[in-house]
Amino acid sequence: MTDDQAAGTAATGGPDVPGPVRHLVLLRHAKAEQPTGGMQDADRPLSARGHADAAAAGAWLRYADYLPAAVVCSPAKRTRQTWHDAALGMAAPPTRPLTTQPGAETTMAAPTVRYEPKIYHGYVADLLDLVRATDPAVTTVLLVGHNPTISDLSTLLDPVHAAPDGLRTGGIVVHRVDGDWADLREQAGPIVKWHTARG
């Protein structure tokens, strides 16, 4: 049992922590093409490697059992493509069972998806506000965004363990949230997993 699983057990059954443990999954978009001609930054598509890495990110999230119930994504083309490819990776057959319960359901339920301009244009405080507005019934939310703000959010939540150089393209970091989304604050989201997806 990992520390994160132990915390989940305590949160759902112990008197000290109310409610379930929630997970905030931060995913930096995968590798994008450089702009050409008069292309706007927001219109940059993923490269071939980026598409493969994004699908690998989704497969890892399924393998690690961090399938999101809600997705908040930047509307830029490279982040939308990252989410689309990650969703395809999540839907692929797993390489191992997602649960040890015999006969348990392993079908991925479609998450709710919102495209939020503040992820592209805003600051770390805007991202934190978006997370705080998550439906209380959601236990895992995936935020797909850009550097530096997505890495800044990770650092805000866990300054001790966040990557000093920020997330790489296709980088994933999972933060544990013990209380309600609305109460999330600085230094209150410890990192429990990180991974850099490569296809």
Side-chain angles (χ1 to χ4, degrees):
M1 176 179 289
T2 66
D3 291 342
D4 194 35
Q5 290 169 328
T9 302
T12 55
D16 296 331
V17 183
V21 168
R22 294 174 170 84
H23 291 105
L24 170 61
V25 181
L26 304 179
L27 170 61
R28 183 185 173 193
H29 68 79
K31 185 174 178 60
E33 299 284 2
Q34 292 300 315
T36 57
M39 181 186 294
Q40 298 295 313
D41 178 75
D43 295 328
R44 291 168 54 203
L46 293 184
S47 65
R49 172 186 147 187
H51 283 291
D53 290 349
W60 184 86
L61 289 171
R62 178 166 183 150
Y63 182 90
D65 204 11
Y66 290 112
L67 294 179
V71 177
V72 190
C73 182
S74 161
K77 186 169 187 175
R78 59 190 180 275
T79 40
R80 288 186 287 113
Q81 288 184 332
T82 296
W83 160 239
H84 180 266
D85 292 341
L88 293 175
M90 290 177 194
T95 55
R96 68 170 174 85
L98 295 181
T99 176
T100 57
Q101 301 297 322
E105 181 60 56
T106 59
T107 302
M108 176 186 167
T112 60
V113 182
R114 292 187 358 248
Y115 295 96
E116 287 285 352
K118 285 183 178 180
I119 301 176
Y120 182 72
H121 295 290
Y123 300 95
V124 66
D126 298 307
L127 270 61
L128 185 59
D129 286 343
L130 290 172
V131 175
R132 286 171 172 162
T134 301
D135 183 339
V138 169
T139 56
T140 302
V141 62
L142 171 65
L143 193 153
V144 187
H146 310 262
N147 265 356
T149 49
I150 196 161
S151 292
D152 289 345
L153 178 58
S154 183
T155 300
L156 183 78
L157 296 175
D158 187 349
V160 174
H161 301 104
D165 297 325
L167 293 170
R168 299 169 65 189
T169 55
I172 301 166
V173 62
V174 181
H175 291 264
R176 190 181 74 235
V177 179
D178 292 325
D180 293 332
W181 294 114
D183 298 328
L184 184 60
R185 63 190 188 282
E186 296 180 21
Q187 302 183 45
I191 292 172
V192 294
K193 291 276 181 71
W194 54 87
H195 176 73
T196 300
R198 293 293 178 255

mmCIF file of all heavy atoms in Angstrom, residues 102-140:
data_model
loop_
_atom_site.group_PDB
_atom_site.id
_atom_site.type_symbol
_atom_site.label_atom_id
_atom_site.label_comp_id
_atom_site.label_asym_id
_atom_site.label_seq_id
_atom_site.Cartn_x
_atom_site.Cartn_y
_atom_site.Cartn_z
ATOM 1 N N PRO A 102 -12.588 -8.983 -8.121
ATOM 2 C CA PRO A 102 -13.080 -9.831 -9.205
ATOM 3 C C PRO A 102 -14.383 -9.277 -9.776
ATOM 4 O O PRO A 102 -15.285 -8.890 -9.043
ATOM 5 C CB PRO A 102 -13.338 -11.184 -8.512
ATOM 6 C CG PRO A 102 -12.523 -11.128 -7.264
ATOM 7 C CD PRO A 102 -12.470 -9.698 -6.854
ATOM 8 N N GLY A 103 -14.413 -9.202 -11.107
ATOM 9 C CA GLY A 103 -15.627 -8.763 -11.771
ATOM 10 C C GLY A 103 -15.901 -7.272 -11.671
ATOM 11 O O GLY A 103 -16.961 -6.800 -12.075
ATOM 12 N N ALA A 104 -14.941 -6.498 -11.163
ATOM 13 C CA ALA A 104 -15.170 -5.062 -11.011
ATOM 14 C C ALA A 104 -15.187 -4.388 -12.375
ATOM 15 O O ALA A 104 -14.544 -4.823 -13.328
ATOM 16 C CB ALA A 104 -14.088 -4.440 -10.137
ATOM 17 N N GLU A 105 -15.933 -3.306 -12.463
ATOM 18 C CA GLU A 105 -16.067 -2.567 -13.712
ATOM 19 C C GLU A 105 -14.768 -1.834 -14.030
ATOM 20 O O GLU A 105 -14.196 -1.149 -13.181
ATOM 21 C CB GLU A 105 -17.208 -1.546 -13.570
ATOM 22 C CG GLU A 105 -17.467 -0.720 -14.807
ATOM 23 C CD GLU A 105 -17.832 -1.561 -16.015
ATOM 24 O OE1 GLU A 105 -18.801 -2.332 -15.936
ATOM 25 O OE2 GLU A 105 -17.122 -1.455 -17.025
ATOM 26 N N THR A 106 -14.282 -1.960 -15.274
ATOM 27 C CA THR A 106 -13.056 -1.267 -15.675
ATOM 28 C C THR A 106 -13.315 -0.323 -16.840
ATOM 29 O O THR A 106 -12.387 0.211 -17.413
ATOM 30 C CB THR A 106 -11.968 -2.283 -16.074
ATOM 31 O OG1 THR A 106 -12.450 -3.092 -17.156
ATOM 32 C CG2 THR A 106 -11.563 -3.147 -14.907
ATOM 33 N N THR A 107 -14.576 -0.121 -17.212
ATOM 34 C CA THR A 107 -14.891 0.790 -18.298
ATOM 35 C C THR A 107 -14.720 2.227 -17.831
ATOM 36 O O THR A 107 -15.160 2.599 -16.753
ATOM 37 C CB THR A 107 -16.337 0.570 -18.771
ATOM 38 O OG1 THR A 107 -16.485 -0.781 -19.181
ATOM 39 C CG2 THR A 107 -16.678 1.496 -19.927
ATOM 40 N N MET A 108 -14.100 3.034 -18.665
ATOM 41 C CA MET A 108 -13.880 4.427 -18.316
ATOM 42 C C MET A 108 -15.130 5.236 -18.589
ATOM 43 O O MET A 108 -15.635 5.249 -19.704
ATOM 44 C CB MET A 108 -12.709 4.985 -19.134
ATOM 45 C CG MET A 108 -12.458 6.466 -18.905
ATOM 46 S SD MET A 108 -11.188 7.079 -20.013
ATOM 47 C CE MET A 108 -11.423 8.847 -19.795
ATOM 48 N N ALA A 109 -15.659 5.908 -17.569
ATOM 49 C CA ALA A 109 -16.789 6.801 -17.753
ATOM 50 C C ALA A 109 -16.280 8.107 -18.359
ATOM 51 O O ALA A 109 -15.205 8.583 -18.021
ATOM 52 C CB ALA A 109 -17.468 7.060 -16.415
ATOM 53 N N ALA A 110 -17.055 8.678 -19.276
ATOM 54 C CA ALA A 110 -16.637 9.917 -19.925
ATOM 55 C C ALA A 110 -16.641 11.065 -18.919
ATOM 56 O O ALA A 110 -17.644 11.304 -18.247
ATOM 57 C CB ALA A 110 -17.568 10.234 -21.081
ATOM 58 N N PRO A 111 -15.520 11.772 -18.791
ATOM 59 C CA PRO A 111 -15.479 12.896 -17.854
ATOM 60 C C PRO A 111 -16.166 14.120 -18.447
ATOM 61 O O PRO A 111 -16.347 14.227 -19.662
ATOM 62 C CB PRO A 111 -13.979 13.155 -17.685
ATOM 63 C CG PRO A 111 -13.394 12.731 -18.995
ATOM 64 C CD PRO A 111 -14.234 11.557 -19.468
ATOM 65 N N THR A 112 -16.537 15.059 -17.596
ATOM 66 C CA THR A 112 -16.982 16.359 -18.082
ATOM 67 C C THR A 112 -15.735 17.149 -18.477
ATOM 68 O O THR A 112 -14.695 17.054 -17.820
ATOM 69 C CB THR A 112 -17.768 17.122 -17.002
ATOM 70 O OG1 THR A 112 -16.917 17.316 -15.862
ATOM 71 C CG2 THR A 112 -19.004 16.343 -16.572
ATOM 72 N N VAL A 113 -15.829 17.909 -19.561
ATOM 73 C CA VAL A 113 -14.673 18.640 -20.084
ATOM 74 C C VAL A 113 -15.055 20.109 -20.260
ATOM 75 O O VAL A 113 -16.093 20.420 -20.847
ATOM 76 C CB VAL A 113 -14.201 18.058 -21.433
ATOM 77 C CG1 VAL A 113 -12.963 18.805 -21.931
ATOM 78 C CG2 VAL A 113 -13.914 16.572 -21.315
ATOM 79 N N ARG A 114 -14.201 21.000 -19.719
ATOM 80 C CA ARG A 114 -14.389 22.440 -19.890
ATOM 81 C C ARG A 114 -13.113 23.027 -20.477
ATOM 82 O O ARG A 114 -12.007 22.692 -20.039
ATOM 83 C CB ARG A 114 -14.672 23.133 -18.544
ATOM 84 C CG ARG A 114 -15.976 22.773 -17.944
ATOM 85 C CD ARG A 114 -16.329 23.588 -16.688
ATOM 86 N NE ARG A 114 -15.384 24.547 -16.195
ATOM 87 C CZ ARG A 114 -14.729 24.420 -15.039
ATOM 88 N NH1 ARG A 114 -14.884 23.340 -14.281
ATOM 89 N NH2 ARG A 114 -13.899 25.363 -14.627
ATOM 90 N N TYR A 115 -13.289 23.910 -21.466
ATOM 91 C CA TYR A 115 -12.155 24.613 -22.052
ATOM 92 C C TYR A 115 -12.152 26.033 -21.491
ATOM 93 O O TYR A 115 -13.101 26.788 -21.701
ATOM 94 C CB TYR A 115 -12.244 24.604 -23.577
ATOM 95 C CG TYR A 115 -12.124 23.206 -24.124
ATOM 96 C CD1 TYR A 115 -13.260 22.449 -24.430
ATOM 97 C CD2 TYR A 115 -10.875 22.608 -24.284
ATOM 98 C CE1 TYR A 115 -13.150 21.148 -24.888
ATOM 99 C CE2 TYR A 115 -10.754 21.309 -24.748
ATOM 100 C CZ TYR A 115 -11.893 20.584 -25.056
ATOM 101 O OH TYR A 115 -11.779 19.297 -25.504
ATOM 102 N N GLU A 116 -11.107 26.348 -20.743
ATOM 103 C CA GLU A 116 -11.060 27.595 -19.986
ATOM 104 C C GLU A 116 -9.942 28.512 -20.494
ATOM 105 O O GLU A 116 -8.761 28.199 -20.351
ATOM 106 C CB GLU A 116 -10.815 27.293 -18.500
ATOM 107 C CG GLU A 116 -12.004 26.696 -17.784
ATOM 108 C CD GLU A 116 -13.082 27.749 -17.503
ATOM 109 O OE1 GLU A 116 -12.825 28.947 -17.725
ATOM 110 O OE2 GLU A 116 -14.170 27.353 -17.060
ATOM 111 N N PRO A 117 -10.313 29.674 -21.074
ATOM 112 C CA PRO A 117 -9.297 30.617 -21.562
ATOM 113 C C PRO A 117 -8.327 31.081 -20.482
ATOM 114 O O PRO A 117 -7.180 31.427 -20.792
ATOM 115 C CB PRO A 117 -10.129 31.795 -22.086
ATOM 116 C CG PRO A 117 -11.463 31.200 -22.430
ATOM 117 C CD PRO A 117 -11.683 30.111 -21.409
ATOM 118 N N LYS A 118 -8.760 31.089 -19.219
ATOM 119 C CA LYS A 118 -7.870 31.544 -18.148
ATOM 120 C C LYS A 118 -6.632 30.659 -18.025
ATOM 121 O O LYS A 118 -5.602 31.112 -17.519
ATOM 122 C CB LYS A 118 -8.610 31.567 -16.816
ATOM 123 C CG LYS A 118 -9.582 32.715 -16.674
ATOM 124 C CD LYS A 118 -10.224 32.709 -15.302
ATOM 125 C CE LYS A 118 -11.162 33.888 -15.120
ATOM 126 N NZ LYS A 118 -11.792 33.889 -13.775
ATOM 127 N N ILE A 119 -6.719 29.413 -18.457
ATOM 128 C CA ILE A 119 -5.538 28.548 -18.381
ATOM 129 C C ILE A 119 -4.474 29.030 -19.361
ATOM 130 O O ILE A 119 -3.276 28.931 -19.100
ATOM 131 C CB ILE A 119 -5.906 27.077 -18.644
ATOM 132 C CG1 ILE A 119 -6.938 26.595 -17.630
ATOM 133 C CG2 ILE A 119 -4.662 26.183 -18.598
ATOM 134 C CD1 ILE A 119 -7.421 25.185 -17.871
ATOM 135 N N TYR A 120 -4.909 29.578 -20.495
ATOM 136 C CA TYR A 120 -3.963 30.067 -21.506
ATOM 137 C C TYR A 120 -3.499 31.487 -21.201
ATOM 138 O O TYR A 120 -2.326 31.805 -21.313
ATOM 139 C CB TYR A 120 -4.620 30.011 -22.889
ATOM 140 C CG TYR A 120 -3.713 30.458 -24.008
ATOM 141 C CD1 TYR A 120 -2.652 29.655 -24.429
ATOM 142 C CD2 TYR A 120 -3.903 31.676 -24.647
ATOM 143 C CE1 TYR A 120 -1.806 30.059 -25.448
ATOM 144 C CE2 TYR A 120 -3.075 32.088 -25.670
ATOM 145 C CZ TYR A 120 -2.023 31.276 -26.072
ATOM 146 O OH TYR A 120 -1.188 31.686 -27.080
ATOM 147 N N HIS A 121 -4.439 32.348 -20.792
ATOM 148 C CA HIS A 121 -4.127 33.764 -20.628
ATOM 149 C C HIS A 121 -3.842 34.164 -19.180
ATOM 150 O O HIS A 121 -3.324 35.257 -18.943
ATOM 151 C CB HIS A 121 -5.290 34.622 -21.136
ATOM 152 C CG HIS A 121 -5.538 34.506 -22.605
ATOM 153 N ND1 HIS A 121 -4.678 35.010 -23.548
ATOM 154 C CD2 HIS A 121 -6.551 33.925 -23.288
ATOM 155 C CE1 HIS A 121 -5.151 34.766 -24.760
ATOM 156 N NE2 HIS A 121 -6.281 34.105 -24.640
ATOM 157 N N GLY A 122 -4.218 33.326 -18.214
ATOM 158 C CA GLY A 122 -4.225 33.756 -16.830
ATOM 159 C C GLY A 122 -2.948 33.468 -16.059
ATOM 160 O O GLY A 122 -1.906 33.081 -16.613
ATOM 161 N N TYR A 123 -3.072 33.667 -14.767
ATOM 162 C CA TYR A 123 -1.964 33.489 -13.829
ATOM 163 C C TYR A 123 -2.254 32.301 -12.913
ATOM 164 O O TYR A 123 -3.335 31.706 -12.968
ATOM 165 C CB TYR A 123 -1.775 34.768 -13.008
ATOM 166 C CG TYR A 123 -1.462 35.971 -13.865
ATOM 167 C CD1 TYR A 123 -2.479 36.830 -14.272
ATOM 168 C CD2 TYR A 123 -0.159 36.235 -14.283
ATOM 169 C CE1 TYR A 123 -2.200 37.934 -15.070
ATOM 170 C CE2 TYR A 123 0.134 37.332 -15.076
ATOM 171 C CZ TYR A 123 -0.901 38.181 -15.470
ATOM 172 O OH TYR A 123 -0.621 39.257 -16.267
ATOM 173 N N VAL A 124 -1.292 31.966 -12.068
ATOM 174 C CA VAL A 124 -1.449 30.797 -11.209
ATOM 175 C C VAL A 124 -2.672 30.942 -10.307
ATOM 176 O O VAL A 124 -3.371 29.954 -10.035
ATOM 177 C CB VAL A 124 -0.158 30.538 -10.404
ATOM 178 C CG1 VAL A 124 0.118 31.659 -9.425
ATOM 179 C CG2 VAL A 124 -0.232 29.199 -9.690
ATOM 180 N N ALA A 125 -2.976 32.148 -9.857
ATOM 181 C CA ALA A 125 -4.159 32.350 -9.018
ATOM 182 C C ALA A 125 -5.437 32.000 -9.774
ATOM 183 O O ALA A 125 -6.400 31.492 -9.183
ATOM 184 C CB ALA A 125 -4.218 33.796 -8.528
ATOM 185 N N ASP A 126 -5.458 32.254 -11.083
ATOM 186 C CA ASP A 126 -6.623 31.900 -11.887
ATOM 187 C C ASP A 126 -6.793 30.386 -11.963
ATOM 188 O O ASP A 126 -7.913 29.868 -11.894
ATOM 189 C CB ASP A 126 -6.487 32.480 -13.304
ATOM 190 C CG ASP A 126 -6.428 33.996 -13.304
ATOM 191 O OD1 ASP A 126 -7.322 34.626 -12.719
ATOM 192 O OD2 ASP A 126 -5.476 34.540 -13.890
ATOM 193 N N LEU A 127 -5.684 29.665 -12.104
ATOM 194 C CA LEU A 127 -5.756 28.206 -12.140
ATOM 195 C C LEU A 127 -6.247 27.662 -10.810
ATOM 196 O O LEU A 127 -7.077 26.737 -10.778
ATOM 197 C CB LEU A 127 -4.386 27.603 -12.488
ATOM 198 C CG LEU A 127 -4.087 27.389 -13.972
ATOM 199 C CD1 LEU A 127 -4.118 28.693 -14.741
ATOM 200 C CD2 LEU A 127 -2.745 26.696 -14.159
ATOM 201 N N LEU A 128 -5.759 28.225 -9.725
ATOM 202 C CA LEU A 128 -6.199 27.783 -8.408
ATOM 203 C C LEU A 128 -7.699 28.028 -8.245
ATOM 204 O O LEU A 128 -8.420 27.166 -7.716
ATOM 205 C CB LEU A 128 -5.414 28.504 -7.320
ATOM 206 C CG LEU A 128 -5.683 28.069 -5.878
ATOM 207 C CD1 LEU A 128 -5.395 26.586 -5.679
ATOM 208 C CD2 LEU A 128 -4.837 28.902 -4.906
ATOM 209 N N ASP A 129 -8.193 29.168 -8.729
ATOM 210 C CA ASP A 129 -9.630 29.453 -8.651
ATOM 211 C C ASP A 129 -10.445 28.447 -9.464
ATOM 212 O O ASP A 129 -11.522 28.022 -9.042
ATOM 213 C CB ASP A 129 -9.920 30.870 -9.142
ATOM 214 C CG ASP A 129 -9.504 31.944 -8.144
ATOM 215 O OD1 ASP A 129 -9.293 31.606 -6.959
ATOM 216 O OD2 ASP A 129 -9.390 33.110 -8.567
ATOM 217 N N LEU A 130 -9.931 28.041 -10.621
ATOM 218 C CA LEU A 130 -10.630 27.048 -11.442
ATOM 219 C C LEU A 130 -10.729 25.713 -10.707
ATOM 220 O O LEU A 130 -11.770 25.048 -10.747
ATOM 221 C CB LEU A 130 -9.913 26.868 -12.781
ATOM 222 C CG LEU A 130 -10.001 28.025 -13.764
ATOM 223 C CD1 LEU A 130 -9.073 27.775 -14.954
ATOM 224 C CD2 LEU A 130 -11.441 28.233 -14.237
ATOM 225 N N VAL A 131 -9.655 25.325 -10.053
ATOM 226 C CA VAL A 131 -9.667 24.067 -9.301
ATOM 227 C C VAL A 131 -10.639 24.168 -8.133
ATOM 228 O O VAL A 131 -11.416 23.241 -7.871
ATOM 229 C CB VAL A 131 -8.254 23.709 -8.805
ATOM 230 C CG1 VAL A 131 -8.299 22.465 -7.910
ATOM 231 C CG2 VAL A 131 -7.313 23.473 -9.984
ATOM 232 N N ARG A 132 -10.639 25.287 -7.440
ATOM 233 C CA ARG A 132 -11.536 25.470 -6.302
ATOM 234 C C ARG A 132 -13.006 25.407 -6.704
ATOM 235 O O ARG A 132 -13.868 25.084 -5.878
ATOM 236 C CB ARG A 132 -11.250 26.819 -5.633
ATOM 237 C CG ARG A 132 -9.971 26.863 -4.824
ATOM 238 C CD ARG A 132 -9.665 28.274 -4.391
ATOM 239 N NE ARG A 132 -8.553 28.333 -3.448
ATOM 240 C CZ ARG A 132 -7.866 29.441 -3.191
ATOM 241 N NH1 ARG A 132 -8.166 30.579 -3.802
ATOM 242 N NH2 ARG A 132 -6.884 29.409 -2.312
ATOM 243 N N ALA A 133 -13.294 25.713 -7.968
ATOM 244 C CA ALA A 133 -14.681 25.698 -8.448
ATOM 245 C C ALA A 133 -15.146 24.316 -8.897
ATOM 246 O O ALA A 133 -16.277 24.161 -9.371
ATOM 247 C CB ALA A 133 -14.832 26.690 -9.602
ATOM 248 N N THR A 134 -14.311 23.292 -8.732
ATOM 249 C CA THR A 134 -14.666 21.932 -9.147
ATOM 250 C C THR A 134 -15.854 21.414 -8.343
ATOM 251 O O THR A 134 -15.977 21.672 -7.149
ATOM 252 C CB THR A 134 -13.459 20.990 -8.936
ATOM 253 O OG1 THR A 134 -12.352 21.471 -9.712
ATOM 254 C CG2 THR A 134 -13.782 19.570 -9.358
ATOM 255 N N ASP A 135 -16.707 20.687 -9.017
ATOM 256 C CA ASP A 135 -17.864 20.049 -8.378
ATOM 257 C C ASP A 135 -17.381 19.215 -7.193
ATOM 258 O O ASP A 135 -16.486 18.382 -7.333
ATOM 259 C CB ASP A 135 -18.550 19.156 -9.414
ATOM 260 C CG ASP A 135 -19.809 18.481 -8.899
ATOM 261 O OD1 ASP A 135 -19.980 18.342 -7.669
ATOM 262 O OD2 ASP A 135 -20.634 18.080 -9.729
ATOM 263 N N PRO A 136 -17.964 19.396 -6.013
ATOM 264 C CA PRO A 136 -17.524 18.642 -4.831
ATOM 265 C C PRO A 136 -17.632 17.126 -4.990
ATOM 266 O O PRO A 136 -16.932 16.381 -4.292
ATOM 267 C CB PRO A 136 -18.453 19.138 -3.717
ATOM 268 C CG PRO A 136 -18.944 20.459 -4.184
ATOM 269 C CD PRO A 136 -19.002 20.378 -5.678
ATOM 270 N N ALA A 137 -18.505 16.666 -5.894
ATOM 271 C CA ALA A 137 -18.666 15.221 -6.095
ATOM 272 C C ALA A 137 -17.493 14.606 -6.852
ATOM 273 O O ALA A 137 -17.308 13.386 -6.841
ATOM 274 C CB ALA A 137 -19.965 14.937 -6.845
ATOM 275 N N VAL A 138 -16.689 15.425 -7.512
ATOM 276 C CA VAL A 138 -15.553 14.939 -8.303
ATOM 277 C C VAL A 138 -14.384 14.628 -7.379
ATOM 278 O O VAL A 138 -14.017 15.450 -6.538
ATOM 279 C CB VAL A 138 -15.147 15.991 -9.355
ATOM 280 C CG1 VAL A 138 -13.822 15.628 -10.007
ATOM 281 C CG2 VAL A 138 -16.240 16.137 -10.405
ATOM 282 N N THR A 139 -13.795 13.453 -7.538
ATOM 283 C CA THR A 139 -12.634 13.101 -6.716
ATOM 284 C C THR A 139 -11.312 13.209 -7.472
ATOM 285 O O THR A 139 -10.259 13.310 -6.845
ATOM 286 C CB THR A 139 -12.766 11.684 -6.138
ATOM 287 O OG1 THR A 139 -12.957 10.758 -7.211
ATOM 288 C CG2 THR A 139 -13.938 11.607 -5.162
ATOM 289 N N THR A 140 -11.344 13.188 -8.809
ATOM 290 C CA THR A 140 -10.125 13.364 -9.596
ATOM 291 C C THR A 140 -10.391 14.334 -10.729
ATOM 292 O O THR A 140 -11.289 14.117 -11.542
ATOM 293 C CB THR A 140 -9.623 12.024 -10.179
ATOM 294 O OG1 THR A 140 -9.394 11.100 -9.112
ATOM 295 C CG2 THR A 140 -8.322 12.219 -10.956
#
